[in-house]
């Protein structure tokens, strides 16, 4: 896919409010789009800027499998299914150690997992 087609697709997806597809395209072509950012529309440029900042700060995007795990954790927490939660978090300790995961958990999951001692919802002192 050439750069012009890529930029046209990203702009089209942003206009259609399909941010997931636009974000995936931007993440896959980050280096190319940094050089051609002026061709993007303003909302796509803002998304590109956000993704570049997150990339430079060491943020790693969440995989589809990790996202499915987080959705399952949220569902079990909402239904207060502690047994299901324990089964899921048993093999996913590395995922739950990431600090950016808290953004994807609902209030029920944060409260239960914090009570279990799996995550720490307190903000670090700066």
């Amino acid at each position: 896919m050439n750069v012009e087609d890529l930029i046209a697709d990203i702009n089209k997806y942003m206009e259609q409010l399909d941010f997931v597809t636009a974000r995936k395209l931007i993440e896959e072509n980050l280096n190319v789009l940094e050089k051609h950012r002026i061709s993007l529309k303003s909302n796509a440029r803002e998304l590109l800027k956000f993704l570049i900042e997150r990339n430079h700060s060491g943020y790693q995007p969440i995989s589809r499998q990790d996202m499915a795990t987080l959705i399952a954790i949220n569902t079990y927490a909402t239904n207060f299914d502690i047994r299901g939660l324990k089964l899921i978090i048993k093999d996913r300790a590395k995922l739950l150690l990431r600090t950016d995961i808290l953004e994807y958990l609902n209030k029920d999951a944060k409260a239960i997992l914090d009570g279990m001692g799996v995550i720490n919802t307190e903000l670090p002192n700066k």
Side-chain angles (χ1 to χ4, degrees):
M1 177 181 286
N2 66 21
V3 177
E4 291 82 20
D5 292 339
L6 176 66
I7 290 172
D9 286 346
I10 291 171
N11 286 331
K12 178 183 75 170
Y13 289 127
M14 292 299 287
E15 288 175 2
Q16 295 173 351
L17 303 177
D18 186 0
F19 300 121
V20 174
T21 306
R23 181 178 182 160
K24 284 292 182 190
L25 284 173
I26 291 172
E27 285 177 345
E28 292 170 358
N29 301 290
L30 203 57
N31 295 331
V32 174
L33 291 171
E34 277 187 272
K35 298 173 187 169
H36 296 92
R37 90 175 50 201
I38 196 71
S39 301
L40 293 170
K41 292 188 177 181
S42 63
N43 54 357
R45 273 195 305 262
E46 287 299 316
L47 181 58
L48 175 65
K49 178 182 167 187
F50 173 76
L51 292 173
I52 289 171
E53 288 173 1
R54 287 193 86 158
N55 191 22
H56 290 310
S57 68
Y59 171 79
Q60 296 175 352
I62 291 190
S63 69
R64 187 175 294 263
Q65 184 179 14
D66 290 343
M67 189 55 115
T69 301
L70 293 171
I71 291 170
I73 288 172
N74 286 334
T75 303
Y76 284 131
T78 301
N79 296 331
F80 203 71
D81 184 357
I82 304 298
R83 180 180 293 170
L85 266 174
K86 285 182 179 180
L87 285 174
I88 284 193
I89 64 175
K90 181 179 177 183
D91 298 327
R92 312 289 192 311
K94 190 173 183 180
L95 173 65
L96 294 171
L97 288 175
R98 291 177 52 174
T99 56
D100 60 328
I101 293 303
L102 293 176
E103 300 171 12
Y104 299 98
L105 296 174
N106 62 21
K107 289 181 181 181
D108 296 331
K110 287 179 186 176
I112 293 171
L113 293 175
D114 190 33
M116 293 171 70
V118 177
I119 62 171
N120 186 8
T121 57
E122 294 179 12
L123 295 174
N125 294 333
K126 290 186 177 183

